[in-house]
């Protein structure tokens, strides 16, 4: 369904160029920055894996902003570089390791500051007097925007003099920093525009960038901008020994810089700072998109050098965006406890607001139609209320040609051929026809309590019916919240029987993981699958986060089962249910298999004369073995109950499976 890398890269380039043009030239972006960044990241990844696909016009091959006409071009005294992005502590550690390799045995002192979301600008002071202001441009050559920058109130036209920093007033001092528009100014401007019926500006950064490139300085003066320094350059670099010193110099010279910037001796402290800044992110006066972390010592900084367009001695720590793009791999339907069908989109895993997301509820058929979401589509994901991932929109420009429109009723029939669905009156949800939600609940509680699953003594059909009818059990977890009084209030129970039931339930608060998984009643997950899942993932937490690929990698699990499992965990009702189990202290335990049959897998064909297949299977599992329904690569024994069919025999020979008789099996499991 997905396009080949070559075609995908081409489509991404075209779309990103369009977005880039809208952003940089028209100052009218049509998508959020996070969407651009996410697609840009995908293109970079494809190009890294297939370098032959890189074209000279790829947006990845550009450093800075587009140079547009109207301003004098100025060559920078030294390149205005960009920074490599890192997204988590592991990547920060990897960065430090790379530096350690180059400068072994020398510990680093780190300097960190907030990364402001504006536009870079370089101010040149000659003998203390502002003579030129230049944008970053393409990193080598920028635009002379002196007249505009002179309107920025916190940019001193003459540097202040202070003891200890007088040398900066002699010769050339270059101050680099970020031009931003404060949030409050941005909001006030937009409010005024709104009142005047004029179109509002997209975001402070665009507005700042657009403003600085205005050809009329009078217009610029009406839009309040601020400058925040992050670098001070002198001809003799020894005059600025550390990055912290550059900040102190900026302050001394009368130039605004972030007061939060600080020096740290350990990475742990840097990470604490990262988290502190993230917590105060919203209360900062301007937008930020992360942190800049640098080696504090500037001689060392220079020694570490540059790779491509980025210095080795600094990184940009980016907070994970609240939006990201990914590709829809499938749309699966989960049937809830009440018989309601909920469609779920399954994605390539993607990090959104700090956690990995691989599925989102699509709610109902109307929502699918509204989004016109299709398998193979590239979609924008965001976190609603910062917790629940949702599909925001479809990037239709990137839709594969063969992606067909979803017909919900056909999808239902495909995935649940055995069921009939109906949509009653104004209900937007399809439900299993005739589904009596109480009946479905009773069945699922019975199944959970049954011998094959958790085997809860005395919680049979009649007791389940009584508990559900009394409204005491509304989901699987509720039974663990029952009190003796609750149960005693029911006609069926007397003192002893009530106590027995409560004890029997309490006894199963730490069930074996595989029994618990089985008891949840996930479609297509039978006894052996539950065992395989438990031994592969070892916890509910890990299982709930497993991707379709990881699930399919488990022997005996195919696409249909994998999807059913992912859909079950994606259903918000089930998420709530699992949390409820946890809060009631129901904690399944994974116990590593022991026994003489660990590592052996059995298939039984035909009928056995001395015991039922189910009992034989139980015994095999008790001894640590696996019971399979068909001969596979890893089948150790094929037990021949009667005559073995030709195809089974052929497979057994192909896989080197040993064929044994019923007597031999009894010998093994006795
Ligand atoms: S230091 C070698 N410090 O982020 C570049 N940059 O990707 C050293 N930025 O071009 C840059 N806040 O426009 C630095 N506190 C900060 C910054 C900052 C924003 C921007 C700047 C730079 C880009 C780097």
């Amino acid at each position: 369904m997905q396009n080949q890398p070559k075609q995908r890269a081409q489509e991404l380039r075209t779309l990103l160029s369009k977005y880039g043009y809208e952003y940089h030239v028209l100052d009218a972006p049509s998508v959020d920055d996070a969407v651009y960044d996410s697609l840009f990241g995908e293109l970079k990844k494809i190009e890294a894996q297939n370098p032959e696909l890189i074209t000279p016009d790829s947006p990845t091959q550009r450093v800075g902003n587009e140079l547009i006409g109207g301003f004098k071009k100025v060559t920078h005294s030294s390149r205005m570089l960009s920074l490599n992005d890192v997204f988590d502590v592991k990547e920060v550690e990897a960065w430090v390791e790379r530096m350690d390799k180059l400068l072994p045995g020398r510990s680093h002192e780190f300097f960190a500051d907030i990364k402001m979301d504006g536009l870079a600008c370089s101010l040149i002071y000659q003998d203390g007097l502002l003579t030129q202001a230049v944008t970053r441009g393409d990193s080598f050559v920028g635009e002379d925007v002196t007249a505009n920058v002179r309107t920025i109130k916190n940019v001193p036209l003459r540097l202040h003099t202070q003891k200890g920093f007088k040398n900066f007033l002699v010769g050339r001092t270059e101050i680099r920093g970020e031009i931003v528009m404060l949030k409050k100014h941005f909001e006030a401007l937009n409010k005024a525009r709104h009142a005047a019926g004029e179109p509002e500006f997209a975001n402070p950064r665009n507005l700042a960038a657009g403003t600085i490139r205005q050809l009329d300085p009078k217009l610029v003066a009406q839009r309040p901008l601020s400058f925040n320094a992050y670098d001070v350059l002198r001809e003799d670099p020894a005059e600025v020994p550390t990055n912290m010193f550059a900040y102190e110099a900026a302050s001394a010279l009368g130039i605004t810089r972030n007061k939060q910037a600080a020096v740290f001796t350990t990475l742990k402290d840097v990470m604490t700072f990262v988290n502190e800044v993230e917590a105060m992110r919203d209360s900062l006066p301007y937008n930020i998109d992360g942190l800049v972390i640098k080696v504090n010592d500037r001689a060392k900084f220079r020694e570490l050098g540059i790779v491509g367009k980025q210095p080795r001695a600094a990184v940009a720590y980016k907070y994970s965006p609240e939006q990201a793009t990914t590709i829809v791999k499938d749309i699966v339907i989960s049937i809830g406890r009440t018989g309601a069908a909920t469609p779920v989109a399954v994605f390539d895993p993607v990090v959104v607001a700090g956690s990995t997301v691989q599925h989102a509820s699509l709610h109902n058929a109307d929502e699918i139609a509204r989004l016109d979401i299709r398998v193979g589509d590239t979609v924008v994901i965001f976190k609603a209320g910062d917790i629940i991932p949702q599909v925001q929109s479809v990037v239709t420009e990137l839709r594969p040609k063969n992606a067909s429109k979803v017909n919900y009723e056909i999808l239902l029939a495909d995935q649940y051929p055995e069921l009939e669905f109906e949509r009653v009156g104004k209900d937007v949800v399809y439900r299993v026809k005739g589904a009596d939600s109480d009946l479905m609940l009773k069945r699922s509680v019975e199944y959970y309590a049954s011998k094959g699953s958790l085997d809860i003594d005395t919680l049979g059909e009649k007791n389940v019916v009584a508990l559900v009818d009394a409204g005491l059990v509304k989901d699987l977890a509720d039974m663990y919240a029952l009190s003796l009084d609750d149960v005693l209030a029911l006609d069926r129970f007397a003192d002893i029987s009530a106590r027995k039931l409560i004890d029997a339930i309490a006894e199963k608060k730490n069930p074996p993981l595989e029994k618990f998984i089985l008891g949840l009643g996930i479609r297509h997950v039978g006894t052996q699958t539950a065992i395989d899942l438990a031994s592969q993932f070892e916890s509910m937490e890990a299982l709930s986060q497993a991707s379709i690929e990881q699930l399919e990698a488990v022997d005996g699990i195919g696409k249909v089962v994998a999807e059913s499992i992912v859909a079950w965990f994606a259903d918000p009702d089930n998420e709530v249910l699992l949390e409820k189990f946890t809060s009631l202290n129901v904690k399944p335990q994974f116990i590593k298999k022991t026994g003489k049959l660990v590592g052996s897998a059995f298939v039984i064909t035909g009928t056995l004369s001395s015991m039922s297949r189910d009992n034989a299977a139980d015994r095999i599992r008790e001894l640590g073995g696996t019971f399979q329904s068909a001969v596979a690569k890893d089948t150790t024994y094929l037990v021949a109950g009667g005559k073995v069919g030709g195809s089974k025999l052929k497979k057994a020979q192909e896989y080197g499976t040993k064929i044994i008789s019923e007597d031999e099996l009894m010998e093994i499991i006795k």
Side-chain angles (χ1 to χ4, degrees):
M1 182 56 79
Q2 265 147 261
N3 284 333
Q4 294 306 305
K6 186 171 174 196
Q7 192 187 344
R8 181 78 179 168
Q10 175 53 44
E11 286 168 1
L12 286 168
R13 274 198 299 268
T14 307
L15 186 60
L16 287 165
S17 301
K18 169 176 167 270
Y19 289 162
Y21 174 76
E22 289 169 353
Y23 184 102
H24 293 295
V25 181
L26 304 181
D27 277 325
S30 65
V31 291
D32 284 298
D33 291 358
V35 173
Y36 181 91
D37 292 345
S38 193
L39 294 172
F40 188 86
E42 188 191 343
L43 178 60
K44 248 171 101 169
K45 206 163 128 195
I46 295 176
E47 290 180 343
Q49 285 163 355
N50 312 275
E52 74 282 2
L53 295 181
I54 300 176
T55 60
D57 66 342
S58 174
T60 59
Q61 303 304 300
R62 187 207 298 280
V63 185
N65 303 331
E66 195 117 14
L67 289 175
I68 54 169
F71 293 100
K72 199 176 87 191
K73 305 286 177 279
V74 179
T75 303
H76 295 297
S77 61
S78 62
R79 262 181 95 177
M80 286 185 82
L81 297 163
S82 57
L83 297 175
N84 263 321
D85 291 341
V86 291
F87 293 94
D88 56 35
V89 65
K90 279 208 193 82
E91 292 184 8
V92 180
E93 282 164 3
W95 164 61
V96 177
E97 267 166 38
R98 286 197 298 276
M99 294 194 295
D100 287 345
K101 265 202 193 123
L102 287 165
L103 300 179
R106 289 207 260 161
S107 67
H108 319 280
E109 198 176 51
F110 301 102
F111 170 88
D113 187 18
I114 292 164
K115 188 168 188 300
M116 298 158 281
D117 197 14
L119 72 144
C121 187
S122 147
L123 310 179
I124 293 139
Y125 288 87
Q126 285 292 346
D127 295 331
L129 207 65
L130 176 67
T131 54
Q132 207 168 37
V134 189
T135 63
R136 177 160 82 158
D138 67 0
S139 88
F140 294 105
V141 178
E143 290 162 337
D144 184 333
V145 289
T146 315
N148 290 346
V149 169
R150 287 173 70 92
T151 70
I152 300 178
K153 300 243 170 40
N154 76 336
V155 170
L157 300 180
R158 177 178 287 283
L159 294 176
H160 299 188
T161 354
Q162 208 187 83
K163 232 176 104 208
F165 295 91
K166 293 222 169 79
N167 51 322
F168 289 85
L169 299 172
V170 181
R172 188 180 195 276
T173 296
E174 180 173 346
I175 315 269
R176 288 181 177 178
E178 199 82 350
I179 294 177
V180 294
M181 181 174 288
L182 302 189
K183 288 190 242 177
K184 62 175 183 197
H185 292 143
F186 176 76
E187 278 152 24
L189 267 176
N190 258 355
K191 215 168 147 191
R193 281 178 80 88
H194 182 81
E198 292 170 65
E200 291 176 37
F201 297 114
N203 60 52
R205 176 174 31 148
N206 273 317
L207 182 53
T211 304
I212 233 39
R213 293 224 211 83
Q214 285 282 344
L215 291 171
D216 179 5
K218 278 210 272 324
L219 238 158
V220 180
Q222 289 164 13
R223 301 219 185 123
L225 296 172
S226 318
F227 178 86
N228 265 22
Y230 57 69
D231 210 352
V232 176
L233 302 174
R234 289 281 293 169
E235 219 157 299
D236 175 8
E239 286 180 47
V240 189
T242 66
N243 283 308
M244 195 64 221
F245 184 86
Y247 272 54
E248 281 154 13
S251 283
L253 300 170
I255 295 200
T256 313
R257 52 95 166 176
N258 288 325
K259 293 291 182 294
Q260 288 93 347
V263 173
F264 304 94
T265 47
T266 66
L267 259 193
K268 195 165 161 266
D269 293 341
V270 174
M271 292 314 296
T272 306
F273 183 62
V274 165
N275 295 330
E276 279 167 8
V277 171
E278 185 163 28
M280 63 169 146
R281 188 173 181 177
D282 290 338
S283 60
L284 288 168
Y286 42 72
N287 285 341
I288 70 168
D289 58 354
L291 246 93
V292 175
I293 313 171
K294 313 180 199 178
V295 167
N296 194 29
D297 185 288
R298 308 245 297 196
K300 217 155 110 181
F301 194 111
R302 285 189 297 276
E303 206 179 329
L304 282 161
I306 293 166
V307 223
K309 299 152 192 161
Q310 285 103 11
R312 276 203 192 85
V315 286
Y317 186 103
K318 291 281 187 80
Y319 293 118
S320 97
E322 268 126 43
Q323 281 171 317
T325 58
T326 184
I327 293 171
V328 179
K329 291 203 296 199
D330 214 338
I331 295 174
V332 291
I333 295 171
S334 139
I335 305 292
R337 193 177 47 67
T338 58
T342 307
V344 175
V346 180
F347 317 123
D348 277 333
V350 60
V351 176
V352 187
S355 65
T356 303
V357 169
Q358 56 175 333
H359 42 64
S361 171
L362 295 171
H363 309 293
N364 53 53
D366 289 359
E367 180 68 359
I368 292 183
R370 186 186 73 78
L371 289 165
D372 185 17
I373 186 171
R374 306 178 187 191
V375 174
D377 267 345
T378 300
V379 288
V380 179
I381 310 296
F382 75 108
K383 280 210 183 152
D386 274 346
I387 321 171
I388 305 157
Q390 302 265 0
V391 176
Q392 179 169 310
S393 58
V394 173
V395 186
T396 46
E397 290 95 330
L398 296 173
R399 171 171 289 162
K401 290 211 169 45
N402 56 349
S404 50
K405 208 175 171 78
V406 173
N407 180 321
Y408 195 63
E409 293 192 356
I410 291 179
L411 202 63
L412 276 169
D414 271 357
Q415 292 184 18
Y416 294 92
E418 76 280 20
L419 297 176
E420 262 190 84
F421 293 88
E422 61 183 355
R423 192 173 180 171
V424 182
K426 289 211 180 89
D427 196 353
V428 291
V429 176
Y430 281 80
R431 292 172 200 280
V432 175
K433 200 166 183 172
D436 167 343
S437 58
D438 267 4
L439 191 71
M440 296 193 62
L441 173 61
K442 285 170 191 166
R443 289 220 185 114
S444 71
V445 177
E446 262 173 60
Y447 183 73
Y448 182 84
S450 68
K451 265 213 152 13
S453 309
L454 272 83
D455 192 12
I456 301 176
D457 218 14
T458 79
L459 190 53
E461 188 186 338
K462 293 204 173 107
N463 283 348
V464 170
V465 169
L467 291 168
V468 172
D469 285 346
L472 289 171
V473 168
K474 295 200 177 71
D475 61 33
L476 289 181
D478 276 343
M479 66 178 82
Y480 291 99
L482 290 173
S483 70
L484 194 60
D485 287 343
D486 286 339
V487 180
L488 273 175
L490 303 179
D491 286 344
R492 286 182 57 78
F493 293 92
D495 220 20
I496 292 179
S497 56
R499 200 173 294 274
K500 240 184 164 170
L501 177 66
I502 296 281
D503 289 349
I505 294 171
E507 213 175 275
K508 297 293 158 71
K509 274 200 159 179
N510 300 106
L513 181 59
E514 62 276 12
K515 300 276 181 195
F516 185 75
I517 294 171
L518 182 68
L520 294 174
I522 303 171
R523 194 160 165 263
H524 300 306
V525 176
T527 310
Q528 189 59 51
T529 305
I531 292 170
D532 295 342
L533 290 170
S535 52
Q536 180 66 36
F537 295 99
E538 303 193 359
S539 74
M540 282 306 287
E541 176 74 46
L543 177 60
S544 71
Q545 280 161 20
S547 65
I548 292 201
E549 276 85 43
Q550 286 168 324
L551 289 163
E552 277 189 86
V554 179
D555 253 334
I557 294 187
K559 186 163 184 276
V560 173
V561 182
E563 286 182 347
S564 160
I565 296 166
V566 168
W568 192 91
F569 283 103
D571 189 326
D573 282 349
N574 293 330
E575 250 172 87
V576 172
L577 176 68
L578 289 176
E579 272 165 31
K580 201 161 160 186
F581 273 123
T582 309
S583 70
L584 289 165
N585 250 325
V586 179
K587 295 194 179 125
Q589 301 290 313
F590 173 69
I591 299 149
K592 262 218 152 47
K593 278 202 282 188
T594 52
K596 65 173 183 176
L597 294 185
V598 169
S600 302
F602 291 76
V603 171
I604 299 178
T605 84
T607 39
L608 301 177
S609 54
S610 47
M611 64 166 81
S612 72
R613 278 163 62 95
D614 281 352
N615 285 346
D618 280 348
R619 184 71 191 129
I620 287 168
R621 291 188 188 115
E622 259 170 47
L623 294 168
T626 312
F627 184 73
Q628 299 174 321
S629 55
V631 179
K633 282 201 292 297
D634 59 344
T635 309
T636 327
Y637 298 107
L638 173 62
V639 183
K643 207 168 150 319
V644 181
S647 70
K648 278 206 174 105
L649 204 60
K650 214 173 131 214
K651 270 204 169 154
Q653 274 156 358
E654 187 187 332
Y655 297 137
T657 301
K658 213 173 152 195
I659 300 173
I660 58 170
S661 66
E662 179 174 346
D663 287 347
E664 285 172 286
L665 172 69
M666 292 308 145
E667 194 56 35
I668 294 173
I669 65 177
K670 77 169 180 231

